[in-house]
Amino acid sequence: MLDTAAMLTVFWVYLAGVVIPGPNFVAVVHKAVAATRTEALALVAGIVTVNLLWSACAIAGLGLVFAALPWAALVVKIMGAAYLMWFGLRLIVNAGKQPALRPCEGPAGSVRKSFFQGIVTNIGNPKSMAFYAAVFSAAAPTHPSLSTFVSMLAVVVVVSLTWYGLVALALSQPRISSAYQKARKAIDRLCGGLILGLGVRQLS
């Protein structure tokens, strides 16, 4: 039997968690203005895939696992922070060095690379891990029916795909991409600095 109240609770909790800017949002913004629309949507697909995994684990008791094994949460946190710092530094160091791409172009294999970049960015995102382990798992019912479980996963996919997809589509417009090319180095450094700062903050 579908638990509508639980599904709505998860919807509002998850919506609030997704729209708050974090590493995933910064990664989507940068990919949308710096690369092709297809690459940006591939990155979004990678992020959504991990969101689906995190949410399934949270409903199944991820919060309980991390509560019983605090060292596991610490390892995930440190690894995630390390990746964010590496990613941010890479953006800063390579700011403005990569050749500009026209909206309909992209190097071979770039879509697949963008998809995996979305996966790694989200797996290495301590904000996601903390949100699903604490907030999301608390909002989900303890023993949901199969229909409720599937419905909550559908909510996660639809909300995250809609939000990040709209961001990617909006910022990959030719005019916005052209404006980015004019200030490429500054924007790359800004995005890199934000991601680096988020990584450092996770270690504090």
Side-chain angles (χ1 to χ4, degrees):
M1 183 176 179
L2 179 63
D3 189 339
T4 306
M7 191 177 69
L8 289 175
T9 299
V10 165
F11 169 78
W12 289 114
V13 168
Y14 185 70
L15 181 63
V18 167
V19 299
I20 297 174
N24 291 340
F25 181 81
V26 176
V28 172
V29 169
H30 185 266
K31 181 66 72 175
V33 299
T36 68
R37 178 174 295 176
T38 303
E39 288 175 272
L41 291 176
L43 181 98
V44 169
I47 289 173
V48 172
T49 298
V50 175
N51 282 344
L52 182 61
L53 173 64
W54 276 126
S55 57
C57 291
I59 296 171
L62 177 66
L64 296 177
V65 172
F66 282 154
L69 303 172
W71 60 267
L74 180 62
V75 169
V76 173
K77 178 179 179 179
I78 293 175
M79 291 178 64
Y83 171 76
L84 292 178
M85 287 168 19
W86 172 82
F87 185 31
L89 283 172
R90 185 165 172 263
L91 276 179
I92 294 172
V93 172
N94 295 326
K97 290 183 179 180
Q98 299 177 353
L101 297 172
R102 292 196 296 272
C104 295
E105 293 183 336
S110 58
V111 173
R112 184 184 303 176
K113 181 179 178 181
S114 296
F115 176 76
F116 284 108
Q117 183 183 357
I119 289 178
V120 175
T121 298
N122 202 5
I123 288 179
N125 180 1
K127 175 179 175 287
S128 288
M129 185 268 290
F131 173 77
Y132 285 106
V135 181
F136 189 88
S137 60
T142 306
H143 300 292
S145 64
L146 179 61
S147 59
T148 301
F149 181 81
V150 173
S151 297
M152 288 190 292
L153 294 184
V155 165
V156 169
V157 172
V158 171
V159 171
S160 58
L161 188 60
T162 300
W163 171 246
Y164 290 122
L166 287 175
V167 172
L169 290 174
L171 297 181
S172 61
Q173 297 296 324
R175 287 185 298 176
I176 296 178
S177 296
S178 297
Y180 161 75
Q181 300 301 339
K182 296 177 182 178
R184 184 182 183 88
K185 183 177 292 187
I187 294 176
D188 284 358
R189 286 177 175 172
L190 175 62
C191 290
L194 287 173
I195 294 176
L196 175 62
L198 288 168
V200 172
R201 182 180 177 185
Q202 292 304 318
L203 295 178
S204 60

